[in-house]
Each structure stands twice: as structure tokens, then as C-alpha cells.
Amino acid sequence: MTERLDPVTLTLIEGAPSSSTTPSGMQSTTTLRRRRTVVGALNLATCGALAAAMAWILSAGGWSLLDGLLLTCFLLVTPWTVLGFWNAIIGLWLLHGRREGLAEVAPFASAGNSGEAVFLRTAVLMTLRNEDPARAFSRLSAVAESIARTGHGHHFAYFVLSDTSRPEIAAAEEEAFAAFRATLADGARAVYRRREDNVGYKAGNLRDFCARWGGEYELMLPLDADSLMAGETIVSMVRMMQAYPRLGILQSLVTGMPAASGFARIFQFGMRHGMRPYTMGSAWWAGDCGPFWGHNALVRIAPFRDDCHLPVLRARPPLGGPILSHDQVEAALMRRAGYEVRVLPVEGGTWEENPPTVVDFVRRDLRWCLGNMQYVRLLGLPGLHPMSRFQLLWAILMFVGLPAMTAMIALSPFAVREAQAAGAFPTALAAGLYSLFLFICLFPKLAGLADIALTRDGLTRYGGGARFALSAFIEIVFAFLQGAVSSFRTSLFMLGLLAGRAHVGWNGQERDAHALSWATAAAGLWPQTLFGLLVCGALAWASPAALLWSLPLTAGYLLAIPFAVVTARPAFGAFLARHRLCAIPEEFDEPAEIAALARPAPQPVAVAA
């Protein structure tokens, strides 16, 4: 095991720590402060202009209670949308308008290509709870094989950390683990541990690892049951962590894998091309207080174990108890401990899977929503870096904006009637603001499309310009429909939070493509349909023209049930795959790690005690 670096050694490696640089010494705090000031000014100016235009429109005919409600909702919706807009603009500029854009965002990235010998010991952790063992271990095996091909496999160990509560799945896990361990050159580098109680959920699972084995390793690489990473990517990230001992968390840019489900296929296509500009832009100003998504990331164990203890919230459920969305809180605590949290905004070599149906997507989103709402009780944690505190606040606003938007749509028929009664309503300005707002919402996607088109061979990697353009159109329509379905369910869930009645479980997720029956879809999505019928019916009565203008935001409610059924149908996913629509680069040039998943899983063998 490598000797732990003391503060004097750290100073010699990184330079004397001071308030003029980030903890690693890699970046000037003055530069980051200047960037944050610019981004803050751009966002405040944009939000202010939009709010002023909205206030001017609403003031026609005098102010009313309805006008006040609409303006309040608009003010809650706008900040998250506007920041996404500016992140995408900045990211696109860095990718195609700057010669060394990556170096400005991630000055540590060049260390990954240094060729330096790997000397830090890394524990690869797969956390499980009632997941399909065959699926999980096929991914872990692919990761282990890929790491072995780098020639650095002896620096890595593998831990399967199970919180599974179902005995039949636990037995299958043990068999699959025995088969996995038999494939390793040194089986002693693999450990299976099952807890009887998943206290603290996933965060508690990792905390247990740190307490029992953390002292034997410098780094850990948490993986979910659907995670996959390339060995070269992992080794490159380890080199970055070696070069900067004050780099506490290094998050990779996780993208989706090829999917059989039509829903997952379209969703990940949109995420894939939209994430790179957005993440580049946000990393430019977030700097050393970056995001942590809880998996496919390298974490320095010592400060995580010693300084990232999650508090148990002293309140009644649902907002009290263990923290569900633990990752961003751990990032804030890591930064408080004097270590940087960075994201590597480079695409490739790190994947996950997305929910196969809109119903599964909403179920996952609700757990995230509850976890993020718990951050309200953490904003006052002492000693947090101001940017870390902002990240927590921003995670809250991400979900607060959803019921605000739903409320605006619900109030729209009344707003139309009130506008008709006004003597001189600024119709042209209202139409312009609405169109501009939709454009701002869509811009991260448009920036992603532009990024692909402007990148050399970018369109070729997606199957050509015509296929890419058609896929982009499909995904934009999909995004409007899916957004209505999920945002309405989240809005209802947040009302339940206010009443203290909301609840989510922590269990294995559905990851395989499967069909949804009309009955199942109707049972889960009838509230969206009823809401859509009421709102669209009222708009049609008040003004058919207003109904047509509203369809980008309201059609998803009306079509919620058929949307869920069609996008989950295996035949629909097969059609998209056959015609390579909404395809991602890995479908045209398959990496070895993804190809390995198609091979038969190793058969269980007897392993001596």
C-alpha cells in the first residue's frame, strides 16, 4: 500500500496552498470568481428581462390575484431554465470557439495521458439491492477484463456490496460472484459482502465499506448495477487523481448504452448530444465545486471516510431520516474538507442504462425529488463553500420549478379569459415571450445538435446527417411529451410532500425493456390525462388559437397513456434499432466493453472456503 501523503509532501507536490488558488493549486480562485461573476450577471440580466416582459404583459388591464400567481410561478420556473441556456452557450463556445477549451475547464485532464505508472490502489465497488445478478455481474466482469487489458489490473480490487433483502436473489448473487472471482488471476482481489439491513441506503453501504476496508485502498470507484466503464478511462482518471492529491472526487461524464427499449433509446440520444456542451459550460464556472452523481466516479477514500459523514435529518418522514440523494451532499462535504470535486467533461468510456419506460423513469425521478427536497434542511450546514451551498440550492430549484410550471399551465385558461377582457392586451409581446421561453428551454438540446454537426466526423458517428436530423426531430417531440408526463407526476408528489404523505421505496430498478399494457398505463397515468382534458377543454372554450399555441406544453398530458404504451413496445424499439434511429456512436463502432456484455456469463464454480 502506498504511503499516505502528509501536508508537507502535498505542499511540495501542489505548491503552497493559499487563498489565491484552489486546494490542488491547479486553478486561480480569482479566475473562478471572475467566471462566476460573469455567469451570475448573465443569468440575473436574462431572468430580469424575462420577468420584466412577463410583468408588463400581466399588467395589461391592471393587476389581479391571478396575475400575481402567474408571475410568482414564472419567477420560480425561469432561473433553472436560464442557467441551462447559458451553460449550453458557454459550453458550445468552449468546444468550438476556444483552442484550449478543455484545459480551461479541466486543467487536470492532461495528467491522464501522461503515461505515468499507476501506484494508487483502487477498490471497484458494485452496490446491489435486489438487482438481476446476471446483469450486474456481466458488467462487473466487463470492467475487470477491460482493466486487466491495460496491464494495471494488480492495482485494483473488486467488492460486491449487497443490500439485497430477497433470499433467492442473494443466493444467485453468491453463485454469480463465485463465477466472477474464478475469472480473476487473483481471486483474493474479489470480496462479496451482504448486509442484513440496508441502513443508510446506498450511502450507508459505502460507509460500511470505508469502515471495514477503506484503510487498505486510496481510491474507490462506486458502480451501480447498470454501470460500465472502460479500463483505459479508469486508469486515465487514476493518473489524474495521482497527479493532484487534493482532488477528492473526479466524476466522469456518464452516457447511456445502446438500448432495446424505444423509450430509453430516444431519451439517451437526447441526453448524449445535450450533455457535453451543458457539462462543459457548468464546469467552467463551478470549477472545484463540481457535481457528484454517486457512480462512475473516483473518490479519495480517506477524506470521504473521515469528513463526509451524512447527517440523519431530525424530522418526521418523508423529509426526515437518512438522506436519499447523498451524492451532492458528499461533494459539498468533500469540498469543505479542503478537497476539490471535479467533473471530467470528456465523452467516452463510461456508461449507464436508462429506465425502459416512462413509468420507470417517473418512479426514479420521484426518489431524486424527495432526496433533493431534503437539501432544504442542509443549506445551513456550517463551513460549506458558497458554491457548494449554491449547488444544493440549485438542486432544490430543479424540482421546485416543475409544480410552478404545472400551476401556470393549469391557470392558463383563466389567464386567456382575463386577457380577452383587457382593453389592450399585448398579444404580440406575449407570443414573442412564449416563443423565446420555449427556445431557451430547448437550447441545451440545440447546442448539443450543433456540437455534433460542428465536430469533425460528428455526424458520421451518428449514422449520417439525414438520420441524425430525423432522430433529433423525434427526440424533441419525445422530450415535450415525456416532460409533461413526468413533471405532472412530480408536481403531485411535491403536494404530497407538503402534506407529509409522500413516500418512495429504495429497491432494485427495472432495467430490461418490457411492454406496458393499456390497463397498466391507464392506472398510472390517468391523472395526467384528466388534467390535460380539463386544461385543453377550457382553452378550446376560451380561445382555440390559445389551445394551438399551448400544444407543445399540453399535448403530453392528453397523450400520456398512448405515449407510455407505444414507447415501451418491443416492436417500436426494434423499429428504431433496425433503422438506426436515435442511435448513439457505440452502435456504429461498438467498444469492447459493450461487446463483452453479449457473451454468455461465466458458469458458477465451486470455490473453497
Side-chain angles (χ1 to χ4, degrees):
M1 177 176 169
T2 304
E3 183 179 356
R4 199 169 304 285
L5 298 172
D6 58 36
V8 175
T9 306
L10 286 174
T11 300
L12 292 174
I13 292 175
E14 299 179 327
S18 71
S19 59
S20 63
T21 63
T22 58
S24 69
M26 75 171 76
Q27 209 164 24
S28 163
T29 53
T30 301
T31 298
L32 282 177
R33 189 160 49 246
R34 187 182 301 119
R35 292 177 183 178
R36 291 163 182 167
T37 300
V38 168
V39 171
L42 289 171
N43 277 268
L44 287 174
T46 307
C47 288
L50 292 172
M54 185 66 168
W56 179 266
I57 293 167
L58 293 172
S59 67
W63 284 92
S64 67
L65 176 61
L66 175 62
D67 296 327
L69 290 173
L70 287 171
L71 183 59
T72 300
C73 290
F74 187 77
L75 293 175
L76 291 173
V77 169
T78 303
W80 176 266
T81 306
V82 168
L83 183 59
F85 169 77
W86 282 112
N87 279 344
I89 286 183
I90 294 169
L92 196 60
W93 165 68
L94 289 165
L95 287 166
H96 300 283
R98 301 288 288 178
R99 191 178 297 272
E100 298 293 338
L102 181 61
E104 294 182 39
V105 171
F108 56 88
S110 59
N113 303 319
S114 65
E116 178 187 0
V118 171
F119 57 83
L120 293 184
R121 296 196 63 198
T122 302
V124 179
L125 317 178
M126 178 163 278
T127 55
L128 301 176
R129 178 166 170 79
N130 297 328
E131 300 277 0
D132 176 9
R135 167 184 290 273
F137 279 92
S138 68
R139 281 145 183 78
L140 186 60
S141 295
V143 171
E145 291 174 11
S146 187
I147 290 175
R149 287 195 296 270
T150 69
H152 300 286
H154 55 288
H155 291 290
F156 293 82
Y158 301 90
F159 288 78
V160 178
L161 308 176
S162 174
D163 273 358
T164 291
S165 60
R166 296 170 56 184
E168 70 277 12
I169 296 181
E173 285 177 358
E174 293 178 5
E175 288 188 358
F177 173 75
F180 166 72
R181 187 168 63 176
T183 66
L184 299 177
D186 179 8
R189 292 189 292 112
V191 175
Y192 174 85
R193 186 272 289 133
R194 179 182 170 218
R195 294 196 303 171
E196 294 296 328
D197 183 5
N198 76 321
V199 59
Y201 306 119
K202 179 181 173 182
N205 201 351
L206 295 178
R207 177 64 53 192
D208 179 77
F209 162 81
C210 290
R212 297 175 64 176
W213 295 286
E216 301 175 26
Y217 303 92
E218 286 77 28
L219 306 176
M220 62 180 178
L221 174 64
L223 300 174
D224 285 349
D226 63 337
S227 294
L228 184 67
M229 292 188 72
E232 289 291 349
T233 299
I234 296 170
V235 169
S236 176
M237 291 173 64
V238 170
R239 289 194 177 108
M240 297 174 202
M241 298 289 279
Q242 288 180 173
Y244 295 96
R246 281 285 170 179
L247 185 52
I249 297 176
L250 179 55
Q251 177 65 62
S252 69
L253 183 63
V254 191
T255 58
M257 285 193 291
S261 157
F263 179 89
R265 186 181 183 88
I266 301 173
F267 178 81
Q268 71 189 24
F269 173 81
M271 278 198 67
R272 180 61 170 268
H273 65 248
M275 276 187 69
R276 196 164 78 128
Y278 184 97
T279 307
M280 280 284 287
S282 63
W284 183 75
W285 56 266
D288 55 321
C289 297
F292 177 39
W293 301 323
H295 59 92
N296 294 47
L298 281 176
V299 180
R300 203 170 296 275
I301 292 176
F304 183 88
R305 179 193 60 216
D306 298 339
D307 301 300
C308 297
H309 291 273
L310 295 177
V312 175
L313 300 178
R314 295 182 179 178
R316 290 186 302 175
L319 291 176
I323 298 170
L324 294 179
S325 296
H326 57 92
D327 32 35
Q328 196 56 45
V329 182
E330 290 161 344
L333 296 176
M334 180 69 79
R335 183 61 188 85
R336 184 177 73 174
Y339 290 80
E340 298 190 23
V341 179
R342 295 274 182 168
V343 61
L344 178 64
V346 175
E347 185 181 282
T350 171
W351 303 277
E352 65 177 349
E353 291 179 299
N354 290 297
T357 72
V358 68
V359 174
D360 296 305
F361 178 89
V362 168
R363 187 178 296 120
R364 184 186 70 173
D365 226 31
L366 295 184
R367 191 174 73 232
W368 288 354
C369 175
L370 175 55
N372 283 24
M373 288 304 101
Q374 289 179 309
Y375 293 170
V376 170
R377 298 182 173 274
L378 300 173
L379 292 174
L381 279 176
L384 294 186
H385 191 284
M387 185 53 58
S388 298
R389 212 178 296 276
F390 174 82
Q391 295 278 35
L392 295 178
L393 175 62
W394 214 245
I396 296 168
L397 287 178
M398 176 176 68
F399 285 101
V400 168
L402 297 180
M405 176 59 79
T406 303
M408 288 183 69
I409 293 172
L411 294 172
S412 60
F414 303 100
V416 169
R417 294 294 293 171
E418 192 172 272
Q420 290 172 339
F425 185 76
T427 303
L429 179 58
L433 179 61
Y434 176 75
S435 301
L436 176 61
F437 191 80
L438 286 184
F439 173 76
I440 290 174
C441 289
L442 279 176
F443 190 79
K445 293 182 180 295
L446 299 178
L449 298 174
D451 174 38
I452 300 302
L454 293 171
T455 300
R456 185 176 180 180
D457 297 328
L459 293 174
T460 302
R461 296 177 65 233
Y462 281 83
R467 181 179 282 113
F468 183 72
L470 179 56
S471 298
F473 174 77
I474 292 171
E475 193 278 326
I476 287 174
V477 173
F478 168 93
F480 278 118
L481 299 177
Q482 179 268 323
V485 174
S486 59
S487 63
F488 184 81
R489 182 65 187 88
T490 302
S491 299
L492 292 180
F493 181 78
M494 292 190 70
L495 288 176
L497 282 181
L498 291 176
R501 297 180 181 275
H503 173 73
V504 295
W506 190 281
N507 219 320
Q509 299 181 47
E510 183 62 63
R511 306 185 192 274
D512 289 315
H514 61 92
L516 281 179
S517 69
W518 286 96
T520 300
L525 301 174
W526 68 264
Q528 284 88 333
T529 305
L530 178 60
F531 179 76
L533 288 171
L534 292 174
V535 170
C536 291
L539 282 173
W541 171 74
S543 169
L547 172 61
L548 291 176
W549 276 89
S550 78
L551 286 179
L553 299 179
T554 57
Y557 304 122
L558 294 173
L559 300 174
I561 294 172
F563 171 77
V565 172
V566 171
T567 55
R569 278 188 171 172
F572 177 67
F575 172 84
L576 294 177
R578 186 165 58 251
H579 295 282
R580 298 292 183 92
L581 292 173
C582 297
I584 56 177
E586 286 82 355
E587 293 184 50
F588 299 97
D589 183 15
E590 188 176 56
E593 292 76 18
I594 292 179
L597 301 183
R599 296 201 304 263
Q603 294 302 306
V605 296
V607 178

